Amino acid sequence: MTLQPVDGDKILRENFAPWVLDLGLVVEEVGDGSAVLRLPWSERLAREGGALSGQAMMAAADTGVVVAVAGAKGGYVPMTTVQLNTSFQRPVVGRDVLVAVRLTKLGRTLAFADVTLSSDGDPAVVAHASAVYAIMG
């Protein structure tokens, strides 16, 4: 089954903690092993100096991997983060962040992902993450 963005939004609503939902993430694209989520700009997510907090971007990247795995599997399956490594390259101020996830390997029990975060309207990378997920279902 091919998932649509509305399916990705439903996965978020049904499987994530309220604080993750408070980020306001929106699934813009979901494919076979890929996903793009939008993290809307919010003053609530800004840190000292007005830049978007790294914690919010890491949570968005982590969440995006779940949606990409679901896209590859044809629906949500239980999974958990094993590893998430994030490098921040430039600040984001006053702009939404696009979180582009691409699975680099999907095995029976592990998924590996590459995540690129950029400001809406600017292709420059603001952060990059790599993730490993354990698939439990």
Side-chain angles (χ1 to χ4, degrees):
M1 173 174 101
T2 302
L3 298 185
Q4 301 299 315
V6 67
D7 301 314
D9 288 332
K10 183 177 179 188
I11 288 168
L12 295 179
R13 285 191 314 274
E14 293 179 353
N15 296 286
F16 284 89
W19 72 267
V20 176
L21 299 178
D22 287 347
L23 294 173
L25 293 166
V26 176
V27 178
E28 298 216 333
E29 298 174 24
V30 61
D32 183 12
S34 65
V36 177
L37 279 66
R38 177 179 295 270
L39 173 60
W41 170 258
S42 168
E43 291 287 338
R44 287 186 57 226
L45 301 177
R47 60 180 308 265
E48 182 179 320
L52 186 65
S53 74
Q55 294 94 332
M57 288 190 278
M58 288 181 76
D62 195 45
T63 303
V65 175
V66 173
V67 175
V69 171
K73 293 277 196 182
Y76 178 80
V77 296
M79 62 188 97
T80 191
T81 310
V82 172
Q83 179 268 333
L84 178 65
N85 182 42
T86 307
S87 299
F88 301 97
Q89 299 179 11
R90 57 182 44 86
V92 177
V93 179
R95 299 174 94 165
D96 291 358
V97 171
L98 298 177
V99 180
V101 181
R102 179 181 58 85
L103 298 184
T104 58
K105 181 176 187 218
L106 178 61
R108 189 177 51 79
T109 60
L110 291 175
F112 297 81
D114 186 64
V115 186
T116 303
L117 293 86
S118 59
S119 295
D120 189 23
D122 182 352
V125 175
V126 300
H128 176 264
S130 62
V132 179
Y133 259 73
I135 301 168
M136 302 177 297

